[in-house]
Amino acid sequence: MATGQRGSGKAASPTNDTRWAAGFTLIEILVTLLISAFLLSGVISLFLSSQQSYRVKEAMGRAQESLQWSSEILYRTLSMAESLHPDSSPDQIIVNYVGGAGVVNCLGQPVPSGMVVNRFYVKNQALHCGTTYPATPDSDQPLVEGVARMTIQYGVDERHRGQADRYVDAPGDWSQVVSARITLRLLDSPSSRRPEVVLTVAMRPRIFARLP
């Protein structure tokens, strides 16, 4: 009888090639998905952070531009003021001055003669200017968007020295007002800061007229 070599009875261990051909196990797939999700969440977080930073910088840039433009308009107009209308208040300021060659109103329109009337106030989140008072149709126009509030205090020359002795909300004698202190506050932005500017404007023609 022929004899042959008997097996040991143990199954051969699978090789790496055999495991690769069989594919990944469920645990390996779950671990891979978890790592991929973690990396993807980091990329998304970085993208959102960069986008938020860009929006904040863009909003602050627009706010600074609005503040600068509003300040220029108010300073240019109020520095020519010769008198204030008694209906001026902490929420609106109404100034008068004489027209002439090269004189314009708050809308940039030339006023070669007569009395110029300019009324500034905030409405519908914008700084408005009116060229008549009381207002008439189409006489008021928005100048700068994104303005949340404007507050005004009036500098009173009580000692007749040509300069403000104190600032009040409602002067008892409008003829003593020689300057105005205006605070402009813009709308809330993505930034934690709320942009605002405080502008003090002297009504120079009136000051010079009061000096001896």
Side-chain angles (χ1 to χ4, degrees), residues 67 70-71 74 147 149-150 182-186 195-197:
L67 285 177
S70 302
S71 300
L74 289 168
V147 180
R149 186 181 180 187
M150 178 177 70
I182 302 174
T183 301
L184 289 172
R185 176 168 292 181
L186 299 190
E196 70 175 24
V197 65

Side-chain angles (χ1 to χ4, degrees), residues 109-205:
Q109 301 166 339
V111 186
S113 62
M115 183 64 67
V116 184
V117 179
N118 289 316
R119 173 187 175 224
F120 293 98
Y121 63 99
V122 171
K123 178 183 178 182
N124 297 330
Q125 300 179 350
L127 176 64
H128 283 246
C129 166
T131 55
T132 61
Y133 188 79
T136 58
D138 301 325
S139 66
D140 291 17
Q141 294 184 22
L143 294 178
V144 182
E145 301 289 340
V147 180
R149 186 181 180 187
M150 178 177 70
T151 56
I152 309 160
Q153 288 188 312
Y154 301 93
V156 179
D157 179 17
E158 297 176 325
R159 303 179 185 179
H160 304 286
R161 298 180 302 170
Q163 64 184 16
D165 297 310
R166 63 191 181 101
Y167 285 87
V168 297
D169 294 334
D173 184 355
W174 286 99
S175 66
Q176 292 182 341
V177 176
V178 294
S179 62
R181 179 179 293 164
I182 302 174
T183 301
L184 289 172
R185 176 168 292 181
L186 299 190
L187 297 175
D188 292 339
S189 67
S191 171
S192 58
R193 294 177 295 174
R194 179 176 294 179
E196 70 175 24
V197 65
V198 179
L199 179 69
T200 302
V201 184
M203 300 169 193
R204 301 186 187 279

